[in-house]
Amino acid sequence: MGRRAAIGKAAFLRHPGAVNDPDEPATDPQLAAFRRSIDNIDAALIHILAERFRITQAVGRYKAQTHMPPADPERETRQIARLRQLAEDADLDPEFSEKFLRFIIDEVIRHHRQVQGD
Amino acid sequence: MGRRAAIGKAAFLRHPGAVNDPDEPATDPQLAAFRRSIDNIDAALIHILAERFRITQAVGRYKAQTHMPPADPERETRQIARLRQLAEDADLDPEFSEKFLRFIIDEVIRHHRQVQGD
């Protein structure tokens, strides 16, 4: 049995009868193309988030040294208003942008509390 | 009263006794600098997320047309493993990267279900 036939057989065994089965990316070129773009974007998001947490960890150490509280509700209100506006301009659901920032800030405050030993 | 004195008085009235109060970004130049970087990063995140949802909305329409299910657990497993590795390489908590992807995917699946009218 040649290599192509072996691959074809393996795919068949994994997904009997599936042509457009999304578990098998190779069977649908359009879906595979979408997913390559999503994977590139996700790598960018992970690296930008890593940089954001590098900065907020520095903020956490600075707040602990200068005895500032970990959370800052006024700052958060300003951030949410700004991101909702940016989201609207970029055609992203503003509700989602707010949920997203809340999700990130909750993680940041958890880090700050760890630094301050609360 | 000169302009500087007026600003000084306004800051005093808003935050009596506060020098390092984080509600007042102008009073702490180091914190203000950190926050300008965070704000730039957040604008980048919002725009990248907007692009990600543009693609996943196209995926949603495509899946509805071709009668594919909205969720794809095998694809998600592969995505999580990949992002955890990228996160580790970028010095980001892999647990957080997994929570983050789950948060995004939940929103995507909600969109796909809306398109399919579930």
Side-chain angles (χ1 to χ4, degrees):
Chain A
M1 188 160 65
R3 192 164 168 269
R4 275 182 76 162
I7 289 167
K9 183 139 190 246
F12 174 78
L13 287 172
R14 265 184 76 206
H15 304 288
V19 174
N20 277 333
D21 188 326
D23 291 350
E24 181 55 70
T27 58
D28 191 300
Q30 176 62 77
L31 188 62
F34 282 136
R35 287 177 168 180
R36 279 194 297 272
S37 290
I38 291 168
D39 286 347
N40 279 345
I41 287 175
D42 284 348
L45 286 169
I46 287 296
H47 285 90
I48 294 179
L49 281 169
E51 185 57 24
R52 194 189 195 283
F53 283 110
R54 272 168 51 85
I55 299 172
T56 53
Q57 273 154 16
V59 171
R61 288 190 296 273
Y62 184 71
K63 284 186 167 183
Q65 282 164 12
T66 53
H67 307 288
M68 292 182 191
D72 181 346
E74 271 194 36
R75 156 82 172 154
E76 288 166 29
T77 303
R78 288 193 301 271
Q79 280 175 292
I80 284 168
R82 177 174 173 270
L83 287 202
R84 286 184 72 104
Q85 186 58 56
L86 283 172
E88 246 174 81
D89 295 347
D91 211 13
L92 179 70
D93 177 10
E95 288 302 310
F96 176 78
S97 75
E98 181 166 346
K99 266 197 295 180
F100 172 73
L101 186 67
R102 178 69 44 209
F103 175 80
I104 301 288
I105 288 176
D106 285 350
E107 182 75 9
V108 169
I109 292 173
R110 202 174 64 74
H111 291 175
H112 287 0
R113 294 223 160 97
Q114 281 173 352
V115 172
Q116 298 201 352
D118 284 15
Chain B
M1 187 161 63
R3 191 163 169 272
R4 276 183 73 164
I7 290 167
K9 184 134 190 254
F12 175 78
L13 287 172
R14 266 185 77 206
H15 303 288
V19 174
N20 277 333
D21 189 325
D23 291 351
E24 181 55 70
T27 57
D28 191 301
Q30 176 62 76
L31 187 62
F34 282 137
R35 286 177 169 181
R36 279 193 297 273
S37 290
I38 291 168
D39 286 347
N40 280 345
I41 287 175
D42 283 348
L45 286 170
I46 288 296
H47 285 89
I48 294 179
L49 281 168
E51 185 58 23
R52 194 188 195 283
F53 282 111
R54 273 168 51 85
I55 299 172
T56 53
Q57 273 154 15
V59 171
R61 287 191 296 273
Y62 184 71
K63 283 186 168 183
Q65 283 163 10
T66 53
H67 308 289
M68 291 183 192
D72 182 346
E74 271 195 35
R75 155 81 173 157
E76 288 166 30
T77 303
R78 288 194 301 271
Q79 280 175 293
I80 284 168
R82 178 174 172 269
L83 288 202
R84 286 186 72 105
Q85 186 58 57
L86 283 172
E88 244 173 85
D89 296 347
D91 211 15
L92 178 71
D93 178 9
E95 288 301 311
F96 176 78
S97 75
E98 181 166 346
K99 267 199 292 181
F100 172 74
L101 187 67
R102 178 68 47 209
F103 176 79
I104 301 288
I105 289 176
D106 285 350
E107 183 75 6
V108 169
I109 291 172
R110 202 174 64 75
H111 291 175
H112 287 359
R113 294 224 159 97
Q114 282 172 353
V115 172
Q116 300 200 352
D118 284 15

